[in-house]
Amino acid sequence: MSPSERRTAYVLKMYPRFSETFVVNELLAVEAAGERVDVFSLRAPVDGRFHEQLAAVRAPVTYVRSSGLRAADVWAALAAARAELPGLAGCLDELLSADVADAVQALEVAVEVRRRGIGHVHAHFASVATTVARLAARLADVPYSFTAHAKDIFHEDVDPEDLRRKLRDAAGVVTVSDYNVAHLRRAHGPATSRLQRVYNGLDLGAFRFADPVDRRPVVAAVGRLVEKKGFDTLLDAAALLAADGVPFRVELVGTGPCEGALREQVDRLGLGDVVRLRGALPQGRVREVVQSASVFAAPCVVGADGNRDGLPTVLLEAMALGTPCVTTPVTGIPEAVRHDVTGLLVPERDAARLAAALRRLLEDGALRSRLATGARALVEEEFDVRRQAVRLRALFAGEHEAVPA
């Protein structure tokens, strides 16, 4: 099949998802590079907020049944698959051992893969999306690949044997940082022979760099309000800055399960005049908040359950826009934020060190300018989504590139 005829299925747990801008960026980039893509979403979206660039994605989206399945639905899926999937009989044992919903979704995806002439299946996250993608690819007799991120490989609920099987059976595996590559190699050895690192990329044309030398004393922070983002430490640092009389304001954008606790912390620390919780904002407004700030704070931590960020896309966006970053050396973050070169690193959960780094950047315009310039140069060199799309298309074509040991 020629590259212009090649067609790839993306299997995603939920599409679109407001917090997964990297998926939309990737879809747009691989389509711009010439890939024909079909999206299969295993869950219907539950969030009414969508990014503006979503409208530019050309891929058709199929929502696969995931709930309310009756016995009749299972038998109907098997009957439909029998006529389309010559290899069905050889996969019956695995189908019967799978979760019923996963098995039915895999059957439905596999049938569509065959009907549409799709030659490759790719999933994001090594959890349920890859479970369905792997089984669907086996049923349809096509190769599959997946991208491993963070929670799907670090969380305490990850089944090592299941992940090892997915790594071993895949035609290629992508993960988003060198840190992840090293972790997966230590944990899963020979099963990682087809593993490669491909950073999540940005469409740099959408992120205009501006020198931060003369910006107002504002600290921006963006993300889901969950433990791994470390925003409670940011508020503790803000209290230290306020106690020292430092003029500043914090703009915290996002929603999530920790919102109530964070609002209570703002009240308890007397930060109502300097910290504003902005809720969710459209992507264009988020960029305005970030680019008008003197500092971007991402005090990421490893959660009690092992959950952590991989390499937050919003951190790369801040670097591209020219907003110097203060963050922590969690997982792949130091691959982008190199201390005193492209940003500042502080230990996780250390409010005093975080406050000191924020103060340095709030008060030193020349330092802000130097770090921002270095950060933009690194993003252009390593995180351009067009370069990542070339590597992904090669992976879909079977030209995997394992990371050197």
Side-chain angles (χ1 to χ4, degrees):
M1 185 178 292
S2 71
S4 62
E5 298 172 325
R6 195 171 63 232
R7 197 164 180 171
T8 296
Y10 266 65
V11 177
L12 307 168
K13 181 179 179 181
M14 183 182 294
Y15 177 86
R17 200 168 197 171
F18 190 74
S19 61
E20 294 180 0
T21 54
F22 54 87
V23 170
V24 178
N25 291 342
E26 183 175 305
L27 288 171
L28 288 171
V30 297
E31 286 185 335
E35 195 79 16
R36 295 176 65 197
V37 176
D38 293 62
V39 172
F40 292 87
S41 179
L42 306 182
R43 308 284 187 273
V46 295
D47 192 336
R49 303 165 298 155
F50 302 113
H51 295 301
E52 297 94 330
Q53 75 266 39
L54 188 65
V57 177
R58 299 191 299 273
V61 182
T62 300
Y63 290 98
V64 189
R65 290 181 299 173
S66 62
S67 61
L69 291 170
R70 301 166 302 169
D73 298 319
V74 178
W75 292 120
L78 280 168
R82 183 181 179 186
E84 300 281 350
L85 307 174
L88 177 59
C91 295
L92 274 179
D93 286 346
E94 190 157 6
L95 274 173
L96 291 170
S97 67
D99 176 86
V100 172
D102 292 347
V104 171
Q105 289 191 313
L107 285 166
E108 294 187 359
V109 171
V111 167
E112 289 302 315
V113 165
R114 295 283 293 191
R115 287 175 177 170
R116 302 182 196 186
I118 291 169
H120 188 90
V121 178
H122 184 74
H124 269 276
F125 294 94
S127 44
V128 65
T130 299
T131 296
V132 172
R134 174 185 170 275
L135 192 48
R138 288 200 65 193
L139 289 162
D141 194 25
V142 299
Y144 83 96
S145 55
F146 67 94
T147 299
H149 291 266
K151 183 178 181 179
D152 52 326
I153 58 177
F154 295 118
H155 194 277
E156 63 183 6
D157 289 343
V158 173
D159 179 345
E161 198 53 50
D162 178 61
L163 178 54
R164 191 169 297 120
R165 179 177 62 174
K166 290 169 177 174
L167 290 162
R168 185 175 58 243
D169 292 350
V173 181
V174 167
T175 193
V176 297
S177 69
D178 291 330
Y179 180 98
N180 285 8
V181 168
H183 167 80
L184 289 168
R185 282 209 166 134
R186 283 194 304 270
H188 302 290
T192 62
S193 63
R194 288 176 291 279
L195 175 67
Q196 60 176 298
R197 187 264 291 147
V198 179
Y199 287 129
N200 288 333
L202 301 180
D203 174 7
L204 292 174
F207 294 88
R208 180 179 57 83
F209 177 84
D211 193 308
V213 65
D214 293 323
R215 293 188 196 170
R216 295 172 298 164
V218 175
V219 177
V222 179
R224 290 194 68 230
L225 306 185
V226 294
E227 181 192 8
K228 68 179 181 179
K229 297 298 183 180
F231 291 141
D232 56 337
T233 304
L234 174 60
L235 295 183
D236 287 340
L240 294 175
L241 291 175
D244 285 344
V246 177
F248 74 103
R249 188 174 78 251
V250 174
E251 298 283 334
L252 176 52
V253 179
T255 60
C258 293
E259 182 171 353
L262 291 172
R263 290 190 181 278
E264 186 277 332
Q265 187 180 0
V266 168
D267 292 340
R268 175 167 44 82
L269 295 174
L271 295 173
D273 292 337
V274 294
V275 175
R276 184 159 61 149
L277 274 69
R278 300 289 300 275
L281 296 176
Q283 193 171 44
R285 287 289 296 120
V286 172
R287 289 179 193 171
E288 292 174 8
V289 170
V290 172
Q291 193 160 44
S292 65
S294 294
V295 190
F296 184 81
C300 303
V301 302
V302 177
D305 58 1
N307 194 12
R308 65 199 77 178
D309 267 311
L311 208 173
T313 302
V314 70
L315 191 62
L316 302 176
E317 292 173 350
M319 294 170 67
L321 290 167
T323 303
C325 299
V326 177
T327 185
T328 56
V330 170
T331 60
I333 289 174
E335 295 167 42
V337 180
R338 301 171 183 175
H339 185 65
D340 209 33
V341 178
T342 63
L344 298 179
L345 291 171
V346 298
E348 57 181 299
R349 304 185 193 276
D350 191 329
R353 295 279 292 275
L354 177 59
L358 293 172
R359 184 169 186 170
R360 280 185 68 194
L361 286 168
L362 287 167
E363 296 178 344
D364 190 340
L367 176 63
R368 293 198 299 271
S369 183
R370 176 173 67 80
L371 295 179
T373 300
R376 175 70 190 204
L378 180 67
V379 169
E380 290 179 355
E381 180 180 352
E382 295 285 355
F383 297 95
D384 186 333
V385 74
R386 294 170 300 179
R387 295 182 186 177
Q388 323 306 34
V390 170
R391 295 186 65 185
L392 288 170
R393 292 196 75 212
L395 176 72
F396 301 158
E399 303 164 8
H400 78 272
E401 176 190 340
V403 179

